[in-house]
Amino acid sequence: MVVPFKKQKLGDLLKQSNMITEDQILQVLEAKKEGQKLGDALLEQGLITEKQLLDVLEQQLGIESVSLFRYPIQEEVLSYVSKQYARENCLIPIHQSEHQLTIATNDPMDYFAIDDIELATGFQIKTVIASKDDILQAINKYYDRNDSDSELAPSVDEDAPAVRIMDQILQTGVNLKASDIHIDPQEQQITVRYRVDGMLRTEKTVKKSLQNAIIARTKILANLNITESRLPQDGRVRIEIDKRPIDLRVSILPTVFGEKIVVRILDLTNAFKRLSELDFLPANRQHYQAVLKQPSGLILLTGPTGSGKTTTLYASITELNQDDVNIITVEDPVEYQIDGVNQVQVNSAIGLNFATGLRSILRQDPNIIMVGEIRDKETAEIAIRSSLTGHLVFSTLHTNSAIAAIPRLFDMGIEPYLVVSSLTAIMAQRLVKVICPDCKREREVTAMENDIFQKRGIDIDRVFEGVGCNTCRGTGYKGRMAIHELLVIDDAIRKLMMNHHNMTEIRDYARRNGMHFLLDDGLFKVKSGKTTLEEIVRVVAQD
């Protein structure tokens, strides 16, 4: 016998634990993708969390669960299972004692895979449970380490390890759900860091001797000039990882220890969100959707780089994308392609910048225009004049708040009457980390925390925090969400702007009329248990 229990079905175990009903199981089985396991489909549809699933398997089957993040894996046992088989079946060998081989899996009821390993190795198989992310990260970490540490034989093509290592680096980035990969040349080695949930962390190091081959491989992948090493270069490529289309934006920068590579990962399967998925407070969503129904005007999104402005822009465009409207965008770069939308890529080398692209767009009979970013007076003026001639125009600005966008436009030299006449709404946003659902716990609010909430007129007696677990790798957070502030420009604000009132007066008026600022939105999301006050304070300056 491979397993010391009767073979059972996952659906039966979940029903016995009162986690889900028979009807829910039937609905999921009908809707799930071909070849997808029931557990993965339940997780994808949000009916259970991964921790609930693992807890049920652990209790019902009497199988121990482990954290591979901290587990001392015997690296010599990896040779019993190929990396490809481990990835396909989401399992990894972790320990061997005499005639027993311990396998960590997220699905101990995958009897076919377990039987295969028993037949292939001759060992008695003991299964332990780990989370899917934990297993995939362990596969990348340990199998990749063995690959990259192996010395090259003189007859082996030096490019082959670079190809393999670069593939592993990209694979790990996708598995970690990283937004960026940093490949940093140091004096003695190369450091590989991943930005996950907005924070950079080091995952591995690579031998310095492979630096030139890795850089060459990256340049070939992104179709860059392989002979140029003194100037910065930018490129992009679409590849497939785990049967998912992934867009990579590659930036190469010469440094004193060699060329630094930064790869922005755009996972096209998770690219498009609808406005209903953007974490708006109900009032903000209602006001923003009303703004989108305006036939003309200028809508600005503000915030620092990496605050989710592009996602909101695309969600807005997708909401308006109908057969009876002509939508044209000019972007740098075009991050995601949208069916039915005409997207123009800026190319400064041939003189196609935002301003020239925007001028040409106006001769294409557009209804809706999106300008990736307002960077100068010329682009701002054309965008504003376009909005005044019957077009709905979207764009972005780098300012810290919604109200700060007004003086920024004035500082660019735009005539105040043009700004006043064209602006419809300004929305600022930030991304904050979400509490890990698997280790979330409730606690009483402290006096200092209560004081912050009381100052904003919010009553609260308890907050939530993540204590750290296998799923979130001990951080207490998993994933990110947006917080917003939306300033809708009404006649009173236009009057204040035309009479040169300062921004504090506009801010006071907006607050009196019910505008929720970034801090308010953040505090409401702390109260609802989605994030922590520490995270809001880290991201938003108190005002």
Side-chain angles (χ1 to χ4, degrees):
M1 281 287 286
V2 178
V3 280
F5 48 81
K6 180 186 170 189
K7 294 184 178 181
Q8 299 178 68
K9 291 183 178 178
L10 178 61
D12 295 334
L13 293 183
L14 293 170
K15 281 190 294 182
Q16 289 166 21
S17 305
N18 296 319
M19 303 282 291
I20 53 174
T21 64
E22 177 74 28
D23 286 346
Q24 287 175 313
I25 291 174
L26 293 173
Q27 286 169 11
V28 170
L29 288 172
E30 195 174 317
K32 77 183 182 73
K33 300 165 192 164
E34 189 178 346
Q36 188 178 33
K37 292 181 178 179
L38 175 62
D40 290 337
L42 289 166
L43 292 172
E44 191 176 277
Q45 296 188 30
L47 291 171
I48 56 173
T49 68
E50 188 163 28
K51 186 173 190 304
Q52 288 174 324
L53 178 60
L54 298 184
D55 285 349
V56 165
L57 292 172
E58 185 177 5
Q59 290 164 16
Q60 296 284 347
L61 303 178
I63 301 177
E64 176 192 358
S65 70
V66 297
S67 166
L68 299 181
F69 181 49
R70 300 182 179 88
Y71 195 91
I73 292 176
Q74 292 179 349
E75 295 189 40
E76 59 271 20
V77 304
L78 297 174
S79 60
Y80 293 127
V81 177
S82 72
K83 181 182 176 183
Q84 183 179 351
Y85 191 86
R87 286 192 57 78
E88 286 173 356
N89 295 280
C90 199
L91 52 80
I92 184 171
I94 59 173
H95 183 77
Q96 180 208 336
S97 58
E98 294 186 1
H99 302 298
Q100 188 179 73
L101 181 66
T102 303
I103 300 284
T105 173
N106 79 323
D107 183 6
M109 305 173 82
D110 186 351
Y111 306 114
F112 293 109
I114 296 166
D115 288 346
D116 282 348
I117 296 172
E118 185 177 50
L119 287 169
T121 62
F123 287 110
Q124 179 189 352
I125 304 301
K126 175 189 174 186
T127 54
V128 293
I129 305 172
S131 72
K132 185 174 184 177
D133 282 351
D134 214 5
I135 292 167
L136 291 175
Q137 287 166 25
I139 289 169
N140 283 323
K141 179 179 177 182
Y142 290 100
Y143 280 94
D144 291 0
R145 186 189 309 182
N146 288 350
D147 285 348
S148 58
D149 286 349
S150 60
E151 290 298 326
L152 301 175
S155 61
V156 174
D157 178 4
E158 289 243 349
D159 287 341
V163 171
R164 194 167 62 247
I165 289 168
M166 198 61 209
D167 287 349
Q168 292 163 359
I169 288 170
L170 295 174
Q171 180 101 54
T172 302
V174 171
N175 288 341
L176 289 172
K177 298 180 176 64
S179 60
D180 301 88
I181 304 171
H182 290 241
I183 302 173
D184 298 329
Q186 310 291 332
E187 190 171 7
Q188 305 292 336
Q189 63 189 20
I190 303 167
T191 304
V192 181
R193 297 185 294 167
Y194 296 88
R195 189 176 294 282
V196 180
D197 294 340
M199 309 297 282
L200 270 176
R201 65 187 196 210
T202 301
E203 280 291 320
K204 68 186 293 180
T205 58
V206 180
K207 291 183 295 185
K208 185 76 173 176
S209 60
L210 289 170
Q211 179 172 314
N212 290 339
I214 288 173
I215 291 167
R217 169 60 183 161
T218 307
K219 288 179 178 177
I220 291 167
L221 200 62
N223 199 24
L224 300 176
N225 184 351
I226 197 167
T227 61
E228 179 57 75
S229 58
R230 298 165 300 167
L231 292 172
Q233 295 190 67
D234 295 297
R236 66 183 302 159
V237 62
R238 179 173 292 187
I239 61 173
E240 204 170 85
I241 295 178
D242 293 341
K243 299 177 181 175
R244 289 153 59 190
I246 307 289
D247 255 9
L248 305 176
R249 274 170 38 198
V250 178
S251 173
I252 295 182
L253 182 73
T255 71
V256 290
F257 294 124
E259 292 170 279
K260 171 181 166 67
I261 301 167
V262 175
V263 180
R264 167 68 56 92
I265 300 174
L266 304 170
D267 186 345
L268 300 180
T269 54
N270 300 322
F272 298 111
K273 291 194 173 183
R274 307 204 73 80
L275 285 178
S276 57
E277 301 172 303
L278 293 186
D279 313 303
F280 281 115
L281 289 179
N284 278 346
R285 186 193 305 166
Q286 186 180 344
H287 290 146
Y288 189 63
Q289 286 182 317
V291 165
L292 293 183
K293 289 175 183 171
Q294 301 290 325
S296 64
L298 177 62
I299 300 171
L300 289 177
L301 269 72
T302 76
T305 303
S307 58
K309 299 189 297 295
T310 302
T311 301
T312 305
L313 273 179
Y314 280 133
S316 306
I317 292 293
T318 303
E319 186 95 351
L320 298 168
N321 188 10
Q322 305 288 338
D323 284 345
D324 58 352
V325 292
N326 179 20
I327 303 176
I328 308 181
T329 75
V330 54
E331 306 171 58
D332 183 23
V334 174
E335 294 201 3
Y336 303 117
Q337 283 89 42
I338 310 175
D339 287 340
V341 175
N342 307 284
Q343 296 170 274
V344 178
Q345 168 72 54
V346 164
N347 187 345
S348 302
I350 59 170
L352 177 54
N353 56 26
F354 281 119
T356 54
L358 193 45
R359 274 199 205 90
S360 301
I361 282 174
L362 291 171
R363 294 192 284 273
Q364 291 278 320
D365 184 32
N367 300 96
I368 298 166
I369 299 169
M370 184 182 103
V371 186
E373 185 183 342
I374 291 177
R375 295 178 180 169
D376 52 46
K377 179 183 178 183
E378 187 180 14
T379 307
E381 277 195 337
I382 302 169
I384 285 171
R385 290 185 188 279
S386 303
S387 69
L388 292 173
T389 53
H391 304 96
L392 187 60
V393 181
F394 293 88
S395 193
T396 67
L397 267 181
H398 288 283
T399 62
N400 286 330
S401 68
I403 290 172
I406 297 170
R408 172 64 58 84
L409 290 171
F410 291 162
D411 292 344
M412 282 183 175
I414 311 297
E415 291 292 340
Y417 76 90
L418 287 175
V419 177
V420 170
S421 307
S422 62
L423 266 179
T424 304
I426 309 167
M427 184 158 68
Q429 68 177 67
R430 298 288 188 281
L431 293 179
V432 296
K433 291 184 286 190
V434 176
I435 299 171
C436 172
D438 289 346
C439 60
K440 185 176 179 177
R441 77 172 180 193
E442 187 181 316
R443 67 167 173 81
E444 287 188 4
V445 67
T446 65
M448 185 186 75
E449 290 169 337
N450 191 51
D451 186 48
I452 293 172
F453 280 94
Q454 291 298 326
K455 281 180 181 174
R456 309 300 285 203
I458 302 171
D459 291 323
I460 191 166
D461 53 9
R462 59 187 176 80
V463 290
F464 293 85
E465 62 186 3
V467 295
C469 65
N470 303 345
T471 310
C472 61
R473 305 190 78 178
T475 63
Y477 297 99
K478 191 170 185 189
R480 288 190 293 174
M481 69 187 300
I483 56 172
H484 310 88
E485 65 180 28
L486 178 63
L487 176 68
V488 178
I489 310 294
D490 60 16
D491 289 340
I493 292 177
R494 288 194 175 92
K495 192 172 181 181
L496 289 170
M497 288 163 65
M498 277 308 294
N499 293 329
H500 303 290
H501 287 258
N502 63 39
M503 293 306 118
T504 304
E505 292 176 84
I506 293 176
R507 185 181 186 83
D508 291 343
Y509 168 82
R511 191 192 296 280
R512 287 195 306 273
N513 282 268
M515 177 177 167
H516 294 301
F517 293 90
L518 285 170
L519 181 60
D520 302 316
D521 195 355
L523 294 179
F524 281 123
K525 281 162 183 167
V526 172
K527 183 174 181 177
S528 64
K530 293 175 180 174
T531 188
T532 62
L533 186 59
E534 290 81 4
E535 181 63 6
I536 299 301
V537 170
R538 180 184 73 82
V539 172
V540 182
Q542 289 191 48
D543 51 274

